[in-house]
Amino acid sequence: MPQRILSSTGAARPPLLRLLIILTLLTLAVALWYLTRYSLRDEAGVQWSPPVEDRCDLHAAPCTARLGQGITLGLAVESDGPIRALERLPLEVRLAGIAAESARVDFVGRDMDMGLHRFPLEAMGGGVFRGEGQVAICTEAVMPWRAKVVVDTPQGRLGSWFDFEVARR
């Protein structure tokens, strides 16, 4: 005879109720995980603007975005040839039309969760920020990435993104 679990009132819980309780707890755990990941990415207060060109090639030249009100944002990845995984990449962000306190670049996998790869950049003056970043390795032959650029300005946090692909060697 199957053993029945008694509740605090002494009545037996049906198996369907136990299953629903477990599914509810699992759903809550997944929702909390997504909420935590979103808050850790620190993107809640960013006003996003799309890039100027849909197909800018970060491998070959800087990419730009218009953030509104005469503000432009540019990202350059200075590499010898194509961008490769696990190589240190000199990054440069240029901001015109507004002063900024700080800038950062996040590399995010577009089709696959690759974790958070955040690279804060150092202010060089004149709206220029520089630093180094690195794209993680992936098992895919060609991995689509997104470089998210966020700047902290007196008008709030402004940002744009630039898509690129990295081929495995």
Side-chain angles (χ1 to χ4, degrees), residues 38-95:
Y38 181 75
S39 64
L40 286 177
R41 285 190 187 245
D42 202 22
E43 295 180 358
V46 178
Q47 180 183 349
W48 294 102
S49 299
V52 173
E53 301 174 26
D54 286 339
R55 291 288 177 198
C56 176
D57 187 6
L58 272 175
H59 297 274
C63 294
T64 59
R66 291 186 187 97
L67 306 181
Q69 301 173 359
I71 303 169
T72 58
L73 172 79
L75 172 65
V77 178
E78 300 168 8
S79 67
D80 297 327
I83 298 169
R84 301 228 182 260
L86 300 180
E87 288 184 5
R88 300 302 288 172
L89 301 170
L91 303 173
E92 181 179 272
V93 169
R94 289 189 175 268
L95 187 66

Side-chain angles (χ1 to χ4, degrees), residues 38-46 48 73 75 91 93 101-107 116-122 129 147-152 157-160:
Y38 181 75
S39 64
L40 286 177
R41 285 190 187 245
D42 202 22
E43 295 180 358
V46 178
W48 294 102
L73 172 79
L75 172 65
L91 303 173
V93 169
E101 301 160 11
S102 64
R104 74 170 195 247
V105 176
D106 296 345
F107 289 132
L116 180 62
H117 304 279
R118 177 167 290 162
F119 303 98
L121 306 179
E122 183 180 344
F129 297 85
K148 292 183 172 183
V149 182
V150 177
V151 292
D152 289 313
R157 302 170 92 200
L158 307 176
S160 188

